[in-house]
Amino acid sequence: MSAAQPKAELKPRDPDWDAKVRASFARQTFMHTIGAHIASLSPGRCEVELPFRHDLCQQHGYLHGGVITAIAANAAGYAAFSLMPANSSVLGVEYKINLLGIGEGERFFARGSVLKPGRTLSVVRAEVEALRGGVRHPVARMLATMMCMEGRPEPGLEVRA
Amino acid sequence: MSAAQPKAELKPRDPDWDAKVRASFARQTFMHTIGAHIASLSPGRCEVELPFRHDLCQQHGYLHGGVITAIAANAAGYAAFSLMPANSSVLGVEYKINLLGIGEGERFFARGSVLKPGRTLSVVRAEVEALRGGVRHPVARMLATMMCMEGRPEPGLEVRA
Amino acid sequence: MSAAQPKAELKPRDPDWDAKVRASFARQTFMHTIGAHIASLSPGRCEVELPFRHDLCQQHGYLHGGVITAIAANAAGYAAFSLMPANSSVLGVEYKINLLGIGEGERFFARGSVLKPGRTLSVVRAEVEALRGGVRHPVARMLATMMCMEGRPEPGLEVRA
Amino acid sequence: MSAAQPKAELKPRDPDWDAKVRASFARQTFMHTIGAHIASLSPGRCEVELPFRHDLCQQHGYLHGGVITAIAANAAGYAAFSLMPANSSVLGVEYKINLLGIGEGERFFARGSVLKPGRTLSVVRAEVEALRGGVRHPVARMLATMMCMEGRPEPGLEVRA
């Protein structure tokens, strides 16, 4: 009576998508500052890895929620960017994150997955896990909106002359 | 015919609220790492200030959205914590942030304001502004849920034995 | 040393904004079904009013959260639409709502206010209050993203041929 | 080196969970008003079905976003409630929804799935699909926080004497 719809195809529109995403990530000084890197990348998916460090913590000695959010948002943003055309940039419109467990572990993985690619807006989910004693524990879930700025300055944002 | 309800009273339940909030903030190594501090504090309100730094940026050289979110969430969390009883801790349940403008400026201010204090959950808004050439520009808006853990370990979270 | 930025000007770009918003609202059969109407309208602001009815309730006899969300999202959407150019339509991209108090009262008011108007995206807040015994009680807070579709079908959405 | 964590076990703590959830849903007059019912129910999961009706629409004749949100929030809330102990009630704390596609179809399905059950708070995702011409199309994604009120009135909410 009803059939599952074929998955939204996650086809990159820029043949240079892999190098483009990695180059953009590399320009983010904040990722260098906290020691995060891209662990894996495929069209519509991006995984960011972050080793735990004691200078990235909240008041109880666990990874700070802001750091958790930063790697989740980056994984989401670059998952979306991997599908965007050449001559475009990606802008984070908004995101919402639920913190599911404490930021305790030896390393953290944030995985972004595009739910709905769009010409202007893409909807992306991300999940963060902590690797603790060899087991992955859920840390956070995010639902995010990313925007594609194609061949033009970022709309809706102020640009300094 | 109708009258505005008197504002929810933002009365601290812990006489030591000011020192408690500042001590907790000071224990957050991540705030030291990025150079953020509390600019002002009153019951139900907390302002976090962050000078711009080139090692906290995204790919275009503006303040990274994760950093913007981190100071907003901290301002929201400590605004809520200022109203919580002694012998409690604050936990970030979830937050949603809309990025309104680019993270460009000499310094950034995140202001958290409790909208609804609760025994268990508090709802808080936060706004982030950039000081750019002497003028404050809107950067972000957040709506957040904070939880009070009164005299007990954090419920719903895994605690290592 | 610093000055508050002048408020984002909330100037309608369509001289016919008032009639346009009211006509669109009138076409929403769901608003008729629940008995909601526009209580007030100005550029960038819209207030929706809903009298309580026993057929709009959740399991405890209070106004259903879905109804609260529907009037909040409508107030937000039409606040944004009031500032959009002629030959455009408004699309709800996403919204997040915190329920602050129970849906108990004789009537409910949802007020939407544009925080950041944009050419493509607008960020809007909404608040819902219940009028109960002559006093207004807070019920909900929303933070929403609305999109302007200017002179073209809705991007990113499937349109049936 | 690392192993996937065993899925959070979704074990109902109330042997009467199935009847309890259905009875609560049946008390929601708003679900009767719009014609929604529970299509399937298992521990930690709930699917709500809604046939399209012309009196539930927005300005373009598609299902209203408020109705989409209402069935998503209900699916999420009852997915969480199915895991809660006897002598408790469920409260929607907050939710965020992204609208992915237009509300066009013969019938709509909202599926809620508990991501993280908790003693006090549960985090739940929901997705809404439209059945259109025999094919399911994605309509919306939700990330929600639900609260368990165990044997006591709802904390943080005003209760009329």
Side-chain angles (χ1 to χ4, degrees):
Chain A
M1 210 103 159
S2 89
Q5 189 196 28
K7 271 272 184 187
E9 289 189 59
L10 299 180
K11 280 190 189 165
R13 282 174 284 174
D14 181 356
D16 200 32
W17 63 272
D18 184 282
K20 174 179 77 175
V21 167
R22 293 182 192 276
S24 179
F25 190 98
R27 280 194 297 272
Q28 292 203 339
T29 59
F30 182 54
M31 290 297 112
H32 290 278
T33 297
I34 63 174
H37 66 274
I38 292 180
S40 69
L41 185 63
S42 60
R45 299 188 190 281
C46 178
E47 186 178 34
V48 174
E49 182 177 355
L50 175 78
F52 178 81
R53 275 187 3 208
H54 289 288
D55 62 343
L56 302 177
C57 289
Q58 36 85 292
Q59 68 273 26
H60 303 301
Y62 302 126
L63 193 70
H64 196 282
V67 178
I68 293 167
T69 305
I71 60 172
N74 250 22
Y78 284 120
F81 192 41
S82 73
L83 301 177
M84 293 180 182
N87 192 27
S88 69
S89 58
V90 62
L91 175 72
V93 171
E94 62 81 34
Y95 35 83
K96 178 251 206 289
I97 191 165
N98 272 76
L99 301 167
L100 308 179
I102 53 175
E104 185 184 29
E106 299 89 42
R107 50 189 60 244
F108 295 83
F109 297 89
R111 272 191 303 274
S113 310
V114 173
L115 296 171
K116 170 86 180 179
R119 195 165 59 82
T120 304
L121 298 179
S122 295
V123 180
V124 192
R125 61 172 261 193
E127 51 187 29
V128 182
E129 292 179 325
L131 184 62
R132 197 155 75 232
V135 178
R136 286 173 179 254
H137 296 261
V139 169
R141 280 282 186 141
M142 176 179 277
L143 190 53
T145 309
M146 299 290 162
M147 191 172 190
C148 176
M149 249 71 57
E150 198 172 350
R152 52 187 166 107
E154 302 183 357
L157 296 185
E158 299 145 323
V159 175
R160 191 160 69 172
Chain B
M1 209 105 161
S2 88
Q5 189 196 29
K7 272 273 185 187
E9 289 189 57
L10 300 179
K11 280 190 190 166
R13 282 174 284 175
D14 180 356
D16 200 31
W17 63 272
D18 184 281
K20 174 179 76 175
V21 168
R22 293 180 190 276
S24 179
F25 190 98
R27 280 194 298 272
Q28 292 203 339
T29 58
F30 182 54
M31 290 297 112
H32 290 279
T33 297
I34 62 174
H37 66 275
I38 292 180
S40 69
L41 186 62
S42 61
R45 299 189 190 278
C46 178
E47 186 178 34
V48 174
E49 182 177 354
L50 175 77
F52 178 82
R53 275 187 5 207
H54 289 288
D55 62 343
L56 304 176
C57 289
Q58 34 86 294
Q59 67 273 27
H60 303 301
Y62 302 126
L63 193 69
H64 195 282
V67 178
I68 293 167
T69 305
I71 60 172
N74 251 23
Y78 284 120
F81 193 40
S82 72
L83 301 177
M84 293 180 182
N87 192 28
S88 69
S89 58
V90 62
L91 175 72
V93 171
E94 61 82 34
Y95 35 84
K96 178 252 208 288
I97 191 165
N98 273 76
L99 300 167
L100 308 179
I102 53 175
E104 185 184 28
E106 298 90 43
R107 50 190 60 243
F108 295 83
F109 297 90
R111 273 191 301 273
S113 309
V114 173
L115 295 172
K116 171 84 179 181
R119 196 166 59 81
T120 304
L121 297 180
S122 295
V123 180
V124 192
R125 61 173 260 192
E127 52 186 27
V128 182
E129 291 179 326
L131 185 61
R132 197 154 76 232
V135 177
R136 287 174 178 253
H137 297 261
V139 168
R141 281 282 185 140
M142 176 179 276
L143 190 54
T145 309
M146 299 289 162
M147 190 171 191
C148 176
M149 250 70 58
E150 198 170 351
R152 52 186 167 108
E154 302 182 354
L157 296 186
E158 299 145 323
V159 175
R160 188 161 71 173
Chain C
M1 210 104 161
S2 90
Q5 189 196 29
K7 272 270 184 188
E9 288 188 59
L10 301 180
K11 281 190 189 166
R13 281 174 285 175
D14 180 357
D16 200 32
W17 63 271
D18 184 281
K20 173 179 77 175
V21 167
R22 293 181 191 276
S24 179
F25 190 98
R27 280 194 298 270
Q28 293 203 337
T29 58
F30 182 53
M31 290 298 111
H32 290 278
T33 297
I34 63 175
H37 66 276
I38 292 181
S40 70
L41 185 63
S42 60
R45 299 187 190 280
C46 177
E47 187 178 33
V48 173
E49 182 176 355
L50 175 78
F52 178 82
R53 278 189 359 210
H54 289 289
D55 62 344
L56 303 177
C57 288
Q58 36 87 293
Q59 67 273 26
H60 303 300
Y62 303 125
L63 192 69
H64 196 282
V67 179
I68 292 167
T69 304
I71 59 172
N74 251 22
Y78 284 120
F81 193 40
S82 73
L83 301 177
M84 292 180 184
N87 192 29
S88 69
S89 58
V90 62
L91 175 73
V93 171
E94 60 83 33
Y95 34 82
K96 178 251 206 291
I97 191 165
N98 272 77
L99 300 167
L100 307 179
I102 52 175
E104 184 184 28
E106 298 90 43
R107 49 190 60 243
F108 295 84
F109 297 90
R111 272 191 302 274
S113 309
V114 174
L115 295 172
K116 170 86 180 180
R119 195 164 61 82
T120 304
L121 298 180
S122 296
V123 180
V124 192
R125 59 173 263 191
E127 50 186 30
V128 182
E129 291 181 324
L131 185 62
R132 197 154 76 232
V135 177
R136 287 173 177 253
H137 296 261
V139 168
R141 281 282 185 141
M142 176 179 277
L143 190 55
T145 308
M146 299 290 163
M147 191 171 189
C148 176
M149 250 71 58
E150 199 171 350
R152 52 190 167 108
E154 302 183 354
L157 296 185
E158 299 145 323
V159 175
R160 189 159 70 172
Chain D
M1 209 105 161
S2 90
Q5 189 195 29
K7 272 272 184 187
E9 290 189 57
L10 300 180
K11 282 190 188 164
R13 283 174 284 174
D14 180 357
D16 201 31
W17 63 272
D18 184 280
K20 173 179 76 174
V21 167
R22 293 181 190 276
S24 179
F25 190 98
R27 279 194 299 271
Q28 292 203 339
T29 58
F30 182 54
M31 290 297 112
H32 290 278
T33 297
I34 63 174
H37 66 275
I38 293 180
S40 70
L41 185 63
S42 60
R45 299 188 191 279
C46 178
E47 186 178 34
V48 174
E49 183 177 354
L50 176 77
F52 178 81
R53 275 185 5 207
H54 288 288
D55 63 342
L56 303 176
C57 289
Q58 34 87 293
Q59 68 273 27
H60 303 300
Y62 303 126
L63 193 69
H64 196 282
V67 179
I68 293 168
T69 305
I71 60 173
N74 250 23
Y78 284 119
F81 193 41
S82 73
L83 301 177
M84 293 180 183
N87 192 28
S88 69
S89 58
V90 62
L91 175 72
V93 172
E94 61 82 34
Y95 36 82
K96 178 252 207 287
I97 191 165
N98 272 77
L99 301 167
L100 308 179
I102 53 175
E104 185 184 28
E106 298 89 45
R107 51 190 58 244
F108 295 84
F109 297 90
R111 274 191 301 274
S113 310
V114 174
L115 296 172
K116 170 87 181 180
R119 197 164 59 81
T120 304
L121 298 180
S122 296
V123 180
V124 192
R125 60 172 260 191
E127 51 188 27
V128 182
E129 291 179 325
L131 185 61
R132 196 153 79 231
V135 177
R136 287 173 178 253
H137 295 261
V139 168
R141 280 283 185 138
M142 176 180 276
L143 190 54
T145 309
M146 298 289 163
M147 191 171 188
C148 176
M149 251 69 58
E150 197 171 351
R152 52 187 165 109
E154 302 183 354
L157 296 185
E158 299 145 322
V159 175
R160 189 159 71 173

